[in-house]
């Protein structure tokens, strides 16, 4: 089965920085609902479209395509008394950016499984079941 809108894709992936250093990898396949549901980076979704189980893709994610540009306005000093006592400094730098903001990343993914999404998954806009994330109403 090919990856298309409203299929559920299982994949393993690794994220590298531009020096080839491994930043993050999956312990096992993650599932996402394909078709613009924000389940995965849009650029990765484009690269995976039409692929079948066993195929791989490699995508270079510029900051805009990944975790966004680094925003200096999200970094600010906070007085230390707002934090637990085990911090030495008087002031603490709080950085609201994602740790990978502003970085260019290489995403390598391998498709492990493709199936049609259920009506319920489509209604909710994300994957249910054993591997999907559970939420309670």
């Amino acid at each position: 089965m090919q990856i298309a809108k409203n299929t559920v894709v299982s994949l393993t992936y690794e994220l590298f920085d531009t020096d080839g250093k491994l930043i993050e990898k999956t312990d096992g396949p993650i599932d996402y609902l394909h078709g613009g549901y924000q389940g995965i980076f849009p650029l990765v979704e484009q690269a995976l479209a039409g692929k079948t189980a066993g195929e791989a893709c490699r995508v270079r994610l510029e900051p805009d395509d990944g975790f966004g540009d680094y925003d200096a306005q999200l970094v600010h000093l906070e007085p230390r008394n707002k934090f637990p006592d085990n911090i030495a400094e008087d002031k603490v730098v709080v950085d609201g950016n994602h740790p990978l903001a502003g970085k260019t990343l290489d995403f390598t993914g391998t498709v492990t499984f493709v199936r049609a999404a259920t009506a319920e998954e489509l209604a909710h806009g994300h994957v249910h079941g054993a591997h999907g994330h559970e939420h309670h109403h």
Side-chain angles (χ1 to χ4, degrees), residues 110-123:
T110 303
V111 180
T112 57
F113 192 69
V114 185
R115 66 172 169 84
T118 65
E120 188 189 17
E121 286 170 331
L122 295 179

Side-chain angles (χ1 to χ4, degrees), residues 42-108:
L43 215 65
V44 172
E45 197 165 89
Q46 287 168 29
L48 287 171
K51 292 198 184 298
T52 54
E55 291 193 84
C57 80
R58 187 181 174 87
V59 185
R60 172 150 288 195
L61 297 167
E62 300 297 334
D64 274 357
D65 304 316
F67 294 98
D69 283 317
Y70 192 84
D71 183 355
Q73 290 180 315
L74 294 177
V75 181
H76 48 164
L77 286 170
E78 296 279 4
R80 188 178 95 53
N81 59 18
K82 287 176 65 172
F83 294 91
D85 290 338
N86 55 4
I87 303 177
E89 296 79 16
D90 283 347
K91 295 235 187 306
V92 178
V93 177
V94 177
D95 188 344
N97 287 288
H98 188 283
L100 299 177
K103 291 195 192 313
T104 296
L105 303 167
D106 282 322
F107 175 103
T108 310

Side-chain angles (χ1 to χ4, degrees), residues 18-19 31 50:
T18 46
D19 299 326
D31 293 356

